[in-house]
Amino acid sequence: MTGTHTGDAFGFAASGNPVDITGTDILRVVDGKITEIYHVEELLQLTQQISTGTQPA
């Protein structure tokens, strides 16, 4: 996901910093139907970017 920090998030006021984070979806499929979804995002990476403005290497 990419975007710009334009509103309050995780206790940080809007900074205008660009953000770029990754996430992973794990799906369980049974008989051709999705039965479970697990979604994980790199929230530490996000909070670092909105608090300091640094981008990942």
mmCIF file of all heavy atoms in Angstrom:
data_model
loop_
_atom_site.group_PDB
_atom_site.id
_atom_site.type_symbol
_atom_site.label_atom_id
_atom_site.label_comp_id
_atom_site.label_asym_id
_atom_site.label_seq_id
_atom_site.Cartn_x
_atom_site.Cartn_y
_atom_site.Cartn_z
ATOM 1 N N MET A 1 0.838 -1.155 0.000
ATOM 2 C CA MET A 1 0.000 0.000 0.000
ATOM 3 C C MET A 1 0.893 1.230 0.000
ATOM 4 O O MET A 1 1.930 1.250 0.663
ATOM 5 C CB MET A 1 -0.881 0.003 1.257
ATOM 6 C CG MET A 1 -1.714 1.246 1.382
ATOM 7 S SD MET A 1 -2.497 1.458 3.000
ATOM 8 C CE MET A 1 -1.150 2.121 3.929
ATOM 9 N N THR A 2 0.490 2.211 -0.743
ATOM 10 C CA THR A 2 1.169 3.503 -0.695
ATOM 11 C C THR A 2 0.121 4.573 -0.448
ATOM 12 O O THR A 2 -1.050 4.401 -0.780
ATOM 13 C CB THR A 2 1.909 3.819 -2.010
ATOM 14 O OG1 THR A 2 0.963 3.839 -3.079
ATOM 15 C CG2 THR A 2 2.989 2.801 -2.301
ATOM 16 N N GLY A 3 0.535 5.659 0.162
ATOM 17 C CA GLY A 3 -0.397 6.747 0.428
ATOM 18 C C GLY A 3 0.316 7.895 1.111
ATOM 19 O O GLY A 3 1.542 7.946 1.187
ATOM 20 N N THR A 4 -0.490 8.814 1.633
ATOM 21 C CA THR A 4 0.017 9.972 2.350
ATOM 22 C C THR A 4 -0.704 10.051 3.686
ATOM 23 O O THR A 4 -1.920 9.888 3.750
ATOM 24 C CB THR A 4 -0.232 11.264 1.551
ATOM 25 O OG1 THR A 4 0.390 11.126 0.271
ATOM 26 C CG2 THR A 4 0.355 12.477 2.252
ATOM 27 N N HIS A 5 0.041 10.285 4.752
ATOM 28 C CA HIS A 5 -0.526 10.361 6.097
ATOM 29 C C HIS A 5 -1.228 11.716 6.266
ATOM 30 O O HIS A 5 -0.606 12.710 6.581
ATOM 31 C CB HIS A 5 0.604 10.169 7.127
ATOM 32 C CG HIS A 5 0.150 10.262 8.532
ATOM 33 N ND1 HIS A 5 0.904 10.857 9.503
ATOM 34 C CD2 HIS A 5 -0.974 9.816 9.144
ATOM 35 C CE1 HIS A 5 0.264 10.786 10.655
ATOM 36 N NE2 HIS A 5 -0.878 10.164 10.455
ATOM 37 N N THR A 6 -2.545 11.717 6.056
ATOM 38 C CA THR A 6 -3.310 12.968 6.077
ATOM 39 C C THR A 6 -4.252 13.102 7.266
ATOM 40 O O THR A 6 -4.927 14.114 7.399
ATOM 41 C CB THR A 6 -4.141 13.123 4.789
ATOM 42 O OG1 THR A 6 -5.034 12.010 4.697
ATOM 43 C CG2 THR A 6 -3.252 13.189 3.558
ATOM 44 N N GLY A 7 -4.327 12.096 8.119
ATOM 45 C CA GLY A 7 -5.216 12.165 9.274
ATOM 46 C C GLY A 7 -4.584 11.487 10.473
ATOM 47 O O GLY A 7 -3.570 10.802 10.362
ATOM 48 N N ASP A 8 -5.168 11.707 11.652
ATOM 49 C CA ASP A 8 -4.654 11.081 12.866
ATOM 50 C C ASP A 8 -4.641 9.561 12.719
ATOM 51 O O ASP A 8 -5.608 8.970 12.239
ATOM 52 C CB ASP A 8 -5.515 11.452 14.073
ATOM 53 C CG ASP A 8 -5.441 12.938 14.414
ATOM 54 O OD1 ASP A 8 -4.547 13.624 13.894
ATOM 55 O OD2 ASP A 8 -6.271 13.388 15.221
ATOM 56 N N ALA A 9 -3.537 8.942 13.152
ATOM 57 C CA ALA A 9 -3.426 7.485 13.108
ATOM 58 C C ALA A 9 -2.437 7.023 14.165
ATOM 59 O O ALA A 9 -1.343 7.579 14.280
ATOM 60 C CB ALA A 9 -2.966 7.026 11.723
ATOM 61 N N PHE A 10 -2.833 6.041 14.954
ATOM 62 C CA PHE A 10 -1.964 5.434 15.963
ATOM 63 C C PHE A 10 -1.363 6.469 16.912
ATOM 64 O O PHE A 10 -0.226 6.338 17.365
ATOM 65 C CB PHE A 10 -0.850 4.618 15.302
ATOM 66 C CG PHE A 10 -1.345 3.551 14.376
ATOM 67 C CD1 PHE A 10 -1.263 3.708 13.003
ATOM 68 C CD2 PHE A 10 -1.939 2.405 14.881
ATOM 69 C CE1 PHE A 10 -1.732 2.726 12.148
ATOM 70 C CE2 PHE A 10 -2.412 1.420 14.027
ATOM 71 C CZ PHE A 10 -2.315 1.587 12.660
ATOM 72 N N GLY A 11 -2.111 7.521 17.204
ATOM 73 C CA GLY A 11 -1.639 8.542 18.126
ATOM 74 C C GLY A 11 -0.770 9.614 17.503
ATOM 75 O O GLY A 11 -0.265 10.485 18.189
ATOM 76 N N PHE A 12 -0.568 9.562 16.195
ATOM 77 C CA PHE A 12 0.235 10.563 15.499
ATOM 78 C C PHE A 12 -0.681 11.488 14.707
ATOM 79 O O PHE A 12 -1.529 11.023 13.948
ATOM 80 C CB PHE A 12 1.223 9.901 14.526
ATOM 81 C CG PHE A 12 2.251 9.036 15.200
ATOM 82 C CD1 PHE A 12 2.096 7.662 15.250
ATOM 83 C CD2 PHE A 12 3.365 9.604 15.793
ATOM 84 C CE1 PHE A 12 3.036 6.854 15.871
ATOM 85 C CE2 PHE A 12 4.312 8.808 16.415
ATOM 86 C CZ PHE A 12 4.148 7.429 16.457
ATOM 87 N N ALA A 13 -0.497 12.783 14.881
ATOM 88 C CA ALA A 13 -1.258 13.755 14.095
ATOM 89 C C ALA A 13 -0.812 13.672 12.637
ATOM 90 O O ALA A 13 0.288 13.207 12.336
ATOM 91 C CB ALA A 13 -1.020 15.163 14.636
ATOM 92 N N ALA A 14 -1.664 14.128 11.724
ATOM 93 C CA ALA A 14 -1.342 14.110 10.295
ATOM 94 C C ALA A 14 0.007 14.782 10.061
ATOM 95 O O ALA A 14 0.253 15.878 10.547
ATOM 96 C CB ALA A 14 -2.431 14.810 9.506
ATOM 97 N N SER A 15 0.882 14.100 9.312
ATOM 98 C CA SER A 15 2.226 14.623 9.061
ATOM 99 C C SER A 15 2.444 15.001 7.602
ATOM 100 O O SER A 15 3.383 15.713 7.289
ATOM 101 C CB SER A 15 3.272 13.566 9.454
ATOM 102 O OG SER A 15 3.144 12.428 8.616
ATOM 103 N N GLY A 16 1.598 14.475 6.711
ATOM 104 C CA GLY A 16 1.814 14.687 5.289
ATOM 105 C C GLY A 16 2.907 13.796 4.716
ATOM 106 O O GLY A 16 3.239 13.907 3.538
ATOM 107 N N ASN A 17 3.465 12.911 5.547
ATOM 108 C CA ASN A 17 4.536 12.020 5.091
ATOM 109 C C ASN A 17 3.996 10.970 4.127
ATOM 110 O O ASN A 17 2.907 10.441 4.319
ATOM 111 C CB ASN A 17 5.169 11.275 6.279
ATOM 112 C CG ASN A 17 5.935 12.178 7.204
ATOM 113 O OD1 ASN A 17 6.297 13.282 6.841
ATOM 114 N ND2 ASN A 17 6.185 11.704 8.414
ATOM 115 N N PRO A 18 4.786 10.628 3.105
ATOM 116 C CA PRO A 18 4.407 9.496 2.252
ATOM 117 C C PRO A 18 4.604 8.203 3.030
ATOM 118 O O PRO A 18 5.513 8.112 3.870
ATOM 119 C CB PRO A 18 5.389 9.590 1.081
ATOM 120 C CG PRO A 18 6.557 10.335 1.622
ATOM 121 C CD PRO A 18 6.027 11.262 2.679
ATOM 122 N N VAL A 19 3.764 7.215 2.792
ATOM 123 C CA VAL A 19 3.903 5.909 3.442
ATOM 124 C C VAL A 19 3.877 4.811 2.391
ATOM 125 O O VAL A 19 3.243 4.943 1.352
ATOM 126 C CB VAL A 19 2.809 5.654 4.503
ATOM 127 C CG1 VAL A 19 2.948 6.610 5.663
ATOM 128 C CG2 VAL A 19 1.419 5.753 3.915
ATOM 129 N N ASP A 20 4.596 3.731 2.693
ATOM 130 C CA ASP A 20 4.679 2.586 1.794
ATOM 131 C C ASP A 20 4.852 1.356 2.671
ATOM 132 O O ASP A 20 5.897 1.191 3.302
ATOM 133 C CB ASP A 20 5.865 2.762 0.857
ATOM 134 C CG ASP A 20 6.005 1.639 -0.151
ATOM 135 O OD1 ASP A 20 5.118 0.773 -0.226
ATOM 136 O OD2 ASP A 20 7.026 1.629 -0.862
ATOM 137 N N ILE A 21 3.822 0.510 2.788
ATOM 138 C CA ILE A 21 3.910 -0.681 3.627
ATOM 139 C C ILE A 21 3.487 -1.912 2.841
ATOM 140 O O ILE A 21 2.847 -1.807 1.787
ATOM 141 C CB ILE A 21 3.073 -0.567 4.915
ATOM 142 C CG1 ILE A 21 1.574 -0.523 4.615
ATOM 143 C CG2 ILE A 21 3.493 0.623 5.746
ATOM 144 C CD1 ILE A 21 0.698 -0.703 5.843
ATOM 145 N N THR A 22 3.860 -3.065 3.377
ATOM 146 C CA THR A 22 3.485 -4.326 2.756
ATOM 147 C C THR A 22 2.559 -5.098 3.670
ATOM 148 O O THR A 22 2.513 -4.865 4.872
ATOM 149 C CB THR A 22 4.732 -5.185 2.459
ATOM 150 O OG1 THR A 22 5.439 -5.384 3.677
ATOM 151 C CG2 THR A 22 5.634 -4.518 1.446
ATOM 152 N N GLY A 23 1.824 -6.017 3.082
ATOM 153 C CA GLY A 23 0.941 -6.892 3.833
ATOM 154 C C GLY A 23 0.888 -8.250 3.163
ATOM 155 O O GLY A 23 1.294 -8.408 2.013
ATOM 156 N N THR A 24 0.399 -9.229 3.904
ATOM 157 C CA THR A 24 0.290 -10.581 3.389
ATOM 158 C C THR A 24 -1.092 -11.127 3.703
ATOM 159 O O THR A 24 -1.590 -10.949 4.810
ATOM 160 C CB THR A 24 1.352 -11.494 4.037
ATOM 161 O OG1 THR A 24 2.639 -10.960 3.777
ATOM 162 C CG2 THR A 24 1.274 -12.909 3.504
ATOM 163 N N ASP A 25 -1.714 -11.775 2.722
ATOM 164 C CA ASP A 25 -2.984 -12.466 2.928
ATOM 165 C C ASP A 25 -2.749 -13.959 2.778
ATOM 166 O O ASP A 25 -2.114 -14.404 1.828
ATOM 167 C CB ASP A 25 -4.032 -12.028 1.900
ATOM 168 C CG ASP A 25 -4.519 -10.615 2.146
ATOM 169 O OD1 ASP A 25 -4.757 -10.260 3.307
ATOM 170 O OD2 ASP A 25 -4.664 -9.868 1.159
ATOM 171 N N ILE A 26 -3.249 -14.726 3.744
ATOM 172 C CA ILE A 26 -3.196 -16.179 3.676
ATOM 173 C C ILE A 26 -4.637 -16.674 3.660
ATOM 174 O O ILE A 26 -5.423 -16.341 4.546
ATOM 175 C CB ILE A 26 -2.438 -16.768 4.879
ATOM 176 C CG1 ILE A 26 -1.008 -16.215 4.908
ATOM 177 C CG2 ILE A 26 -2.443 -18.295 4.826
ATOM 178 C CD1 ILE A 26 -0.250 -16.546 6.161
ATOM 179 N N LEU A 27 -4.984 -17.437 2.637
ATOM 180 C CA LEU A 27 -6.351 -17.914 2.454
ATOM 181 C C LEU A 27 -6.398 -19.429 2.610
ATOM 182 O O LEU A 27 -5.503 -20.134 2.157
ATOM 183 C CB LEU A 27 -6.869 -17.551 1.067
ATOM 184 C CG LEU A 27 -6.761 -16.091 0.647
ATOM 185 C CD1 LEU A 27 -7.134 -15.946 -0.810
ATOM 186 C CD2 LEU A 27 -7.627 -15.230 1.519
ATOM 187 N N ARG A 28 -7.462 -19.908 3.213
ATOM 188 C CA ARG A 28 -7.731 -21.345 3.262
ATOM 189 C C ARG A 28 -8.929 -21.608 2.364
ATOM 190 O O ARG A 28 -9.985 -20.994 2.533
ATOM 191 C CB ARG A 28 -8.037 -21.796 4.689
ATOM 192 C CG ARG A 28 -8.315 -23.285 4.789
ATOM 193 C CD ARG A 28 -8.430 -23.715 6.246
ATOM 194 N NE ARG A 28 -8.666 -25.133 6.305
ATOM 195 C CZ ARG A 28 -9.711 -25.687 6.901
ATOM 196 N NH1 ARG A 28 -10.605 -24.936 7.518
ATOM 197 N NH2 ARG A 28 -9.858 -26.988 6.907
ATOM 198 N N VAL A 29 -8.740 -22.500 1.411
ATOM 199 C CA VAL A 29 -9.794 -22.806 0.451
ATOM 200 C C VAL A 29 -10.231 -24.260 0.652
ATOM 201 O O VAL A 29 -9.411 -25.172 0.675
ATOM 202 C CB VAL A 29 -9.292 -22.591 -0.995
ATOM 203 C CG1 VAL A 29 -10.383 -22.933 -2.001
ATOM 204 C CG2 VAL A 29 -8.803 -21.158 -1.186
ATOM 205 N N VAL A 30 -11.535 -24.464 0.810
ATOM 206 C CA VAL A 30 -12.110 -25.800 0.950
ATOM 207 C C VAL A 30 -13.217 -25.945 -0.085
ATOM 208 O O VAL A 30 -14.116 -25.098 -0.165
ATOM 209 C CB VAL A 30 -12.678 -26.008 2.376
ATOM 210 C CG1 VAL A 30 -13.353 -27.370 2.489
ATOM 211 C CG2 VAL A 30 -11.586 -25.863 3.426
ATOM 212 N N ASP A 31 -13.137 -26.974 -0.882
ATOM 213 C CA ASP A 31 -14.135 -27.228 -1.929
ATOM 214 C C ASP A 31 -14.345 -26.012 -2.833
ATOM 215 O O ASP A 31 -15.465 -25.666 -3.197
ATOM 216 C CB ASP A 31 -15.471 -27.663 -1.316
ATOM 217 C CG ASP A 31 -15.375 -28.996 -0.584
ATOM 218 O OD1 ASP A 31 -14.569 -29.850 -1.018
ATOM 219 O OD2 ASP A 31 -16.088 -29.172 0.421
ATOM 220 N N GLY A 32 -13.237 -25.325 -3.167
ATOM 221 C CA GLY A 32 -13.309 -24.194 -4.075
ATOM 222 C C GLY A 32 -13.837 -22.903 -3.458
ATOM 223 O O GLY A 32 -14.052 -21.924 -4.164
ATOM 224 N N LYS A 33 -14.037 -22.887 -2.123
ATOM 225 C CA LYS A 33 -14.546 -21.691 -1.449
ATOM 226 C C LYS A 33 -13.561 -21.236 -0.377
ATOM 227 O O LYS A 33 -12.959 -22.052 0.318
ATOM 228 C CB LYS A 33 -15.906 -21.973 -0.800
ATOM 229 C CG LYS A 33 -16.985 -22.332 -1.797
ATOM 230 C CD LYS A 33 -18.295 -22.611 -1.099
ATOM 231 C CE LYS A 33 -19.357 -23.009 -2.121
ATOM 232 N NZ LYS A 33 -20.623 -23.335 -1.464
ATOM 233 N N ILE A 34 -13.424 -19.921 -0.258
ATOM 234 C CA ILE A 34 -12.565 -19.368 0.791
ATOM 235 C C ILE A 34 -13.268 -19.556 2.122
ATOM 236 O O ILE A 34 -14.399 -19.109 2.317
ATOM 237 C CB ILE A 34 -12.275 -17.878 0.541
ATOM 238 C CG1 ILE A 34 -11.506 -17.710 -0.771
ATOM 239 C CG2 ILE A 34 -11.502 -17.282 1.710
ATOM 240 C CD1 ILE A 34 -11.349 -16.264 -1.208
ATOM 241 N N THR A 35 -12.584 -20.241 3.070
ATOM 242 C CA THR A 35 -13.184 -20.494 4.376
ATOM 243 C C THR A 35 -12.518 -19.704 5.492
ATOM 244 O O THR A 35 -13.117 -19.500 6.540
ATOM 245 C CB THR A 35 -13.135 -21.993 4.720
ATOM 246 O OG1 THR A 35 -11.775 -22.421 4.712
ATOM 247 C CG2 THR A 35 -13.933 -22.806 3.715
ATOM 248 N N GLU A 36 -11.275 -19.271 5.280
ATOM 249 C CA GLU A 36 -10.559 -18.475 6.275
ATOM 250 C C GLU A 36 -9.638 -17.493 5.559
ATOM 251 O O GLU A 36 -9.096 -17.810 4.503
ATOM 252 C CB GLU A 36 -9.697 -19.351 7.184
ATOM 253 C CG GLU A 36 -10.468 -20.290 8.068
ATOM 254 C CD GLU A 36 -9.539 -21.137 8.926
ATOM 255 O OE1 GLU A 36 -8.812 -20.544 9.748
ATOM 256 O OE2 GLU A 36 -9.552 -22.362 8.745
ATOM 257 N N ILE A 37 -9.470 -16.322 6.174
ATOM 258 C CA ILE A 37 -8.529 -15.325 5.654
ATOM 259 C C ILE A 37 -7.740 -14.767 6.831
ATOM 260 O O ILE A 37 -8.325 -14.377 7.843
ATOM 261 C CB ILE A 37 -9.244 -14.156 4.939
ATOM 262 C CG1 ILE A 37 -10.064 -14.655 3.757
ATOM 263 C CG2 ILE A 37 -8.234 -13.108 4.491
ATOM 264 C CD1 ILE A 37 -10.900 -13.557 3.100
ATOM 265 N N TYR A 38 -6.427 -14.757 6.694
ATOM 266 C CA TYR A 38 -5.558 -14.115 7.676
ATOM 267 C C TYR A 38 -4.820 -12.990 6.965
ATOM 268 O O TYR A 38 -4.240 -13.198 5.903
ATOM 269 C CB TYR A 38 -4.545 -15.123 8.247
ATOM 270 C CG TYR A 38 -5.211 -16.243 9.005
ATOM 271 C CD1 TYR A 38 -5.536 -17.440 8.372
ATOM 272 C CD2 TYR A 38 -5.533 -16.098 10.347
ATOM 273 C CE1 TYR A 38 -6.154 -18.471 9.063
ATOM 274 C CE2 TYR A 38 -6.160 -17.120 11.049
ATOM 275 C CZ TYR A 38 -6.459 -18.306 10.396
ATOM 276 O OH TYR A 38 -7.081 -19.315 11.072
ATOM 277 N N HIS A 39 -4.857 -11.797 7.553
ATOM 278 C CA HIS A 39 -4.232 -10.634 6.929
ATOM 279 C C HIS A 39 -3.251 -10.028 7.923
ATOM 280 O O HIS A 39 -3.587 -9.788 9.077
ATOM 281 C CB HIS A 39 -5.298 -9.595 6.544
ATOM 282 C CG HIS A 39 -4.715 -8.367 5.934
ATOM 283 N ND1 HIS A 39 -4.290 -8.337 4.625
ATOM 284 C CD2 HIS A 39 -4.464 -7.146 6.442
ATOM 285 C CE1 HIS A 39 -3.814 -7.129 4.356
ATOM 286 N NE2 HIS A 39 -3.908 -6.402 5.445
ATOM 287 N N VAL A 40 -2.029 -9.797 7.466
ATOM 288 C CA VAL A 40 -0.982 -9.236 8.319
ATOM 289 C C VAL A 40 -0.374 -8.037 7.596
ATOM 290 O O VAL A 40 -0.023 -8.123 6.421
ATOM 291 C CB VAL A 40 0.123 -10.276 8.604
ATOM 292 C CG1 VAL A 40 1.223 -9.685 9.459
ATOM 293 C CG2 VAL A 40 -0.470 -11.517 9.247
ATOM 294 N N GLU A 41 -0.246 -6.908 8.311
ATOM 295 C CA GLU A 41 0.396 -5.715 7.757
ATOM 296 C C GLU A 41 1.600 -5.343 8.602
ATOM 297 O O GLU A 41 1.653 -5.644 9.792
ATOM 298 C CB GLU A 41 -0.580 -4.534 7.743
ATOM 299 C CG GLU A 41 -1.720 -4.724 6.789
ATOM 300 C CD GLU A 41 -2.700 -3.563 6.825
ATOM 301 O OE1 GLU A 41 -2.692 -2.773 7.790
ATOM 302 O OE2 GLU A 41 -3.477 -3.450 5.875
ATOM 303 N N GLU A 42 2.535 -4.670 7.999
ATOM 304 C CA GLU A 42 3.744 -4.219 8.682
ATOM 305 C C GLU A 42 3.454 -2.888 9.392
ATOM 306 O O GLU A 42 3.853 -1.819 8.939
ATOM 307 C CB GLU A 42 4.889 -4.057 7.682
ATOM 308 C CG GLU A 42 5.311 -5.347 7.011
ATOM 309 C CD GLU A 42 5.999 -6.293 7.982
ATOM 310 O OE1 GLU A 42 6.538 -5.839 9.007
ATOM 311 O OE2 GLU A 42 5.996 -7.501 7.704
ATOM 312 N N LEU A 43 2.760 -2.956 10.539
ATOM 313 C CA LEU A 43 2.351 -1.733 11.226
ATOM 314 C C LEU A 43 3.522 -0.999 11.879
ATOM 315 O O LEU A 43 3.486 0.226 12.001
ATOM 316 C CB LEU A 43 1.259 -2.037 12.248
ATOM 317 C CG LEU A 43 -0.056 -2.527 11.633
ATOM 318 C CD1 LEU A 43 -1.083 -2.786 12.724
ATOM 319 C CD2 LEU A 43 -0.597 -1.528 10.624
ATOM 320 N N LEU A 44 4.571 -1.711 12.281
ATOM 321 C CA LEU A 44 5.754 -1.031 12.802
ATOM 322 C C LEU A 44 6.359 -0.156 11.715
ATOM 323 O O LEU A 44 6.717 0.993 11.951
ATOM 324 C CB LEU A 44 6.783 -2.032 13.320
ATOM 325 C CG LEU A 44 8.105 -1.418 13.788
ATOM 326 C CD1 LEU A 44 7.872 -0.432 14.928
ATOM 327 C CD2 LEU A 44 9.075 -2.510 14.204
ATOM 328 N N GLN A 45 6.446 -0.698 10.516
ATOM 329 C CA GLN A 45 6.962 0.058 9.374
ATOM 330 C C GLN A 45 6.114 1.318 9.138
ATOM 331 O O GLN A 45 6.651 2.398 8.903
ATOM 332 C CB GLN A 45 6.939 -0.853 8.153
ATOM 333 C CG GLN A 45 7.567 -0.304 6.902
ATOM 334 C CD GLN A 45 7.428 -1.292 5.750
ATOM 335 O OE1 GLN A 45 6.318 -1.718 5.438
ATOM 336 N NE2 GLN A 45 8.533 -1.655 5.143
ATOM 337 N N LEU A 46 4.800 1.171 9.245
ATOM 338 C CA LEU A 46 3.908 2.311 9.038
ATOM 339 C C LEU A 46 4.109 3.376 10.111
ATOM 340 O O LEU A 46 4.262 4.558 9.790
ATOM 341 C CB LEU A 46 2.451 1.843 9.040
ATOM 342 C CG LEU A 46 1.401 2.945 8.952
ATOM 343 C CD1 LEU A 46 1.519 3.717 7.643
ATOM 344 C CD2 LEU A 46 0.003 2.373 9.127
ATOM 345 N N THR A 47 4.134 2.982 11.374
ATOM 346 C CA THR A 47 4.277 3.983 12.442
ATOM 347 C C THR A 47 5.634 4.680 12.369
ATOM 348 O O THR A 47 5.726 5.871 12.678
ATOM 349 C CB THR A 47 4.060 3.367 13.835
ATOM 350 O OG1 THR A 47 4.963 2.280 14.023
ATOM 351 C CG2 THR A 47 2.636 2.908 14.016
ATOM 352 N N GLN A 48 6.667 3.973 11.942
ATOM 353 C CA GLN A 48 7.966 4.619 11.770
ATOM 354 C C GLN A 48 7.908 5.694 10.689
ATOM 355 O O GLN A 48 8.484 6.770 10.837
ATOM 356 C CB GLN A 48 9.043 3.596 11.428
ATOM 357 C CG GLN A 48 9.402 2.699 12.584
ATOM 358 C CD GLN A 48 10.316 1.571 12.204
ATOM 359 O OE1 GLN A 48 10.340 1.130 11.049
ATOM 360 N NE2 GLN A 48 11.081 1.067 13.141
ATOM 361 N N GLN A 49 7.205 5.434 9.625
ATOM 362 C CA GLN A 49 7.122 6.384 8.517
ATOM 363 C C GLN A 49 6.275 7.605 8.866
ATOM 364 O O GLN A 49 6.602 8.718 8.470
ATOM 365 C CB GLN A 49 6.572 5.695 7.272
ATOM 366 C CG GLN A 49 7.528 4.680 6.698
ATOM 367 C CD GLN A 49 6.930 3.942 5.539
ATOM 368 O OE1 GLN A 49 6.514 4.546 4.555
ATOM 369 N NE2 GLN A 49 6.868 2.631 5.640
ATOM 370 N N ILE A 50 5.182 7.403 9.590
ATOM 371 C CA ILE A 50 4.344 8.573 9.895
ATOM 372 C C ILE A 50 4.932 9.415 11.021
ATOM 373 O O ILE A 50 4.630 10.596 11.115
ATOM 374 C CB ILE A 50 2.872 8.177 10.215
ATOM 375 C CG1 ILE A 50 2.757 7.329 11.471
ATOM 376 C CG2 ILE A 50 2.233 7.494 9.027
ATOM 377 C CD1 ILE A 50 1.330 6.978 11.871
ATOM 378 N N SER A 51 5.818 8.811 11.822
ATOM 379 C CA SER A 51 6.414 9.588 12.913
ATOM 380 C C SER A 51 7.705 10.281 12.497
ATOM 381 O O SER A 51 8.034 11.326 13.030
ATOM 382 C CB SER A 51 6.668 8.696 14.125
ATOM 383 O OG SER A 51 7.629 7.702 13.833
ATOM 384 N N THR A 52 8.427 9.714 11.521
ATOM 385 C CA THR A 52 9.721 10.294 11.148
ATOM 386 C C THR A 52 9.827 10.693 9.693
ATOM 387 O O THR A 52 10.695 11.452 9.316
ATOM 388 C CB THR A 52 10.878 9.311 11.431
ATOM 389 O OG1 THR A 52 10.710 8.171 10.594
ATOM 390 C CG2 THR A 52 10.909 8.900 12.879
ATOM 391 N N GLY A 53 8.955 10.127 8.861
ATOM 392 C CA GLY A 53 9.011 10.439 7.442
ATOM 393 C C GLY A 53 10.011 9.616 6.668
ATOM 394 O O GLY A 53 10.210 9.823 5.491
ATOM 395 N N THR A 54 10.679 8.636 7.322
ATOM 396 C CA THR A 54 11.672 7.847 6.615
ATOM 397 C C THR A 54 11.010 6.747 5.808
ATOM 398 O O THR A 54 9.981 6.220 6.173
ATOM 399 C CB THR A 54 12.675 7.203 7.588
ATOM 400 O OG1 THR A 54 11.961 6.391 8.514
ATOM 401 C CG2 THR A 54 13.452 8.258 8.341
ATOM 402 N N GLN A 55 11.613 6.411 4.711
ATOM 403 C CA GLN A 55 11.126 5.351 3.837
ATOM 404 C C GLN A 55 11.997 4.126 4.003
ATOM 405 O O GLN A 55 13.184 4.242 4.311
ATOM 406 C CB GLN A 55 11.164 5.813 2.375
ATOM 407 C CG GLN A 55 10.173 6.914 2.057
ATOM 408 C CD GLN A 55 8.736 6.423 2.160
ATOM 409 O OE1 GLN A 55 8.416 5.358 1.684
ATOM 410 N NE2 GLN A 55 7.884 7.206 2.777
ATOM 411 N N PRO A 56 11.425 2.927 3.795
ATOM 412 C CA PRO A 56 12.252 1.713 3.901
ATOM 413 C C PRO A 56 13.321 1.670 2.827
ATOM 414 O O PRO A 56 13.155 2.240 1.757
ATOM 415 C CB PRO A 56 11.236 0.600 3.715
ATOM 416 C CG PRO A 56 10.070 1.218 3.023
ATOM 417 C CD PRO A 56 10.064 2.660 3.408
ATOM 418 N N ALA A 57 14.438 1.002 3.139
ATOM 419 C CA ALA A 57 15.561 0.908 2.178
ATOM 420 C C ALA A 57 15.251 -0.040 1.059
ATOM 421 O O ALA A 57 14.427 -0.885 1.124
ATOM 422 C CB ALA A 57 16.811 0.445 2.913
#
